Amino acid sequence: DAMVIQNPRYQVTQFGKPVTLSCSQTLNHNVMYWYQQKSSQAPKLLFHYYDKDFNNEADTPDNFQSRRPNTSFCFLDIRSPGLGDAAMYLCATSRVVTDTQYFGPGTRLTVL
Amino acid sequence: AQTVTQSQPEMSVQEAETVTLSCTYDTSESDYYLFWYKQPPSRQMILVIRQEAYKQQNATENRFSVNFQKAAKSFSLKISDSQLGDAAMYFCAYRGPTTSGTYKYIFGTGTRLKVLA
């Protein structure tokens, strides 16, 4: 089945230690998104890629970076995680930006 | 700036009954999309229903339907014949253009739906 896969499902890191979250898709969608969802809050879009074009949300901290080496994969890098970065990170894809988004199961990040 | 508001943090419905979840939004755009997503506990978010703003007809997907009132900027979700599997967090989402030529995707804060047996 075509799907959006996120690895790992649970990630624990230490304060200030860089961490990378992974997302892959078999849908061959052009657009890939990264969201941050804190407990009992709405998902907040961090950035998205349309093909290789990177689109950063204005209020996304510089601590968050992303890479998309090819159509299938997209990575979220947190350069120096703080306690406030503990959250669920959701990856989503869509065929084009106007289309429905398909979400992965998320990676829950804990920062010690 | 565009906003999405879900004023009901939590709702309950008896199994087989009907429930309506509210969503209001604010935008100055005329061409946009609205969505309802469902996020079951510890499971991934999935699309429930989608509405294009240029369509006057309300979207329907089986037991799920919307009441889209463009002038009032209201987009409520009606779930008929509620089932235990409908229990989840429901997010209303808006997707539309921004003045800078990019696109904005905004989620509401969610409504937790409990289905009572």
Side-chain angles (χ1 to χ4, degrees):
Chain A
D1 287 341
M3 57 185 3
V4 181
I5 303 162
Q6 289 188 247
N7 286 308
R9 294 291 309 278
Y10 301 90
Q11 176 73 58
V12 180
T13 190
Q14 291 181 330
F15 183 93
K17 184 176 181 180
V19 66
T20 295
L21 308 183
S22 171
C23 177
S24 64
Q25 54 130 342
T26 60
L27 296 160
N28 203 32
H29 282 171
N30 296 309
V31 193
M32 295 187 77
Y33 308 80
W34 278 105
Y35 288 87
Q36 179 192 63
Q37 185 180 24
K38 295 188 176 180
S39 182
S40 303
Q41 294 185 21
K44 181 181 178 301
L45 183 63
L46 296 173
F47 25 60
H48 73 275
Y49 273 95
Y50 194 120
D51 291 331
K52 291 188 181 296
D53 292 334
F54 178 69
N55 298 272
N56 198 30
E57 294 298 300
D59 54 356
T60 298
D62 292 339
N63 197 27
F64 292 86
Q65 304 286 319
S66 186
R67 297 170 284 136
R68 189 178 186 186
N70 53 53
T71 300
S72 301
F73 285 87
C74 194
F75 301 98
L76 170 62
D77 300 309
I78 308 176
R79 294 193 296 188
S80 182
L83 298 179
D85 296 328
M88 177 74 84
Y89 289 88
L90 302 173
C91 175
T93 73
S94 65
R95 189 175 53 86
V96 293
V97 290
T98 53
D99 213 0
T100 301
Q101 294 188 4
Y102 292 83
F103 285 83
T107 295
R108 183 165 297 282
L109 178 67
T110 300
V111 181
L112 302 178
Chain B
Q2 297 96 336
T3 58
V4 176
T5 302
Q6 292 180 252
S7 58
Q8 306 153 315
E10 191 171 292
M11 294 280 285
S12 295
V13 63
Q14 205 70 33
E15 197 176 4
E17 296 295 309
T18 295
V19 65
T20 298
L21 309 184
S22 302
C23 174
T24 58
Y25 60 95
D26 191 22
T27 183
S28 57
E29 302 295 330
S30 59
D31 187 18
Y32 51 87
Y33 297 79
L34 296 165
F35 305 82
W36 278 98
Y37 284 92
K38 171 185 176 182
Q39 189 176 38
S42 302
R43 295 182 63 184
Q44 64 201 82
M45 187 132 47
I46 58 173
L47 178 73
V48 175
I49 201 164
R50 154 195 167 117
Q51 175 82 44
E52 291 89 344
Y54 63 85
K55 290 187 177 178
Q56 291 186 333
Q57 186 173 6
N58 289 324
T60 299
E61 286 288 341
N62 301 315
R63 297 182 295 108
F64 299 87
S65 62
V66 297
N67 183 4
F68 173 48
Q69 300 289 329
K70 191 171 183 179
K73 296 179 182 173
S74 170
F75 182 60
S76 60
L77 174 69
K78 185 171 84 170
I79 307 174
S80 305
D81 186 25
S82 297
Q83 301 175 359
L84 295 177
D86 294 334
M89 182 72 91
Y90 286 81
F91 290 99
C92 177
Y94 162 95
R95 194 213 161 282
T98 68
T99 53
S100 60
T102 60
Y103 289 90
K104 197 72 178 176
Y105 216 110
I106 302 170
F107 281 76
T109 51
T111 297
R112 184 170 300 282
L113 178 66
K114 295 184 177 180
V115 181
L116 308 173

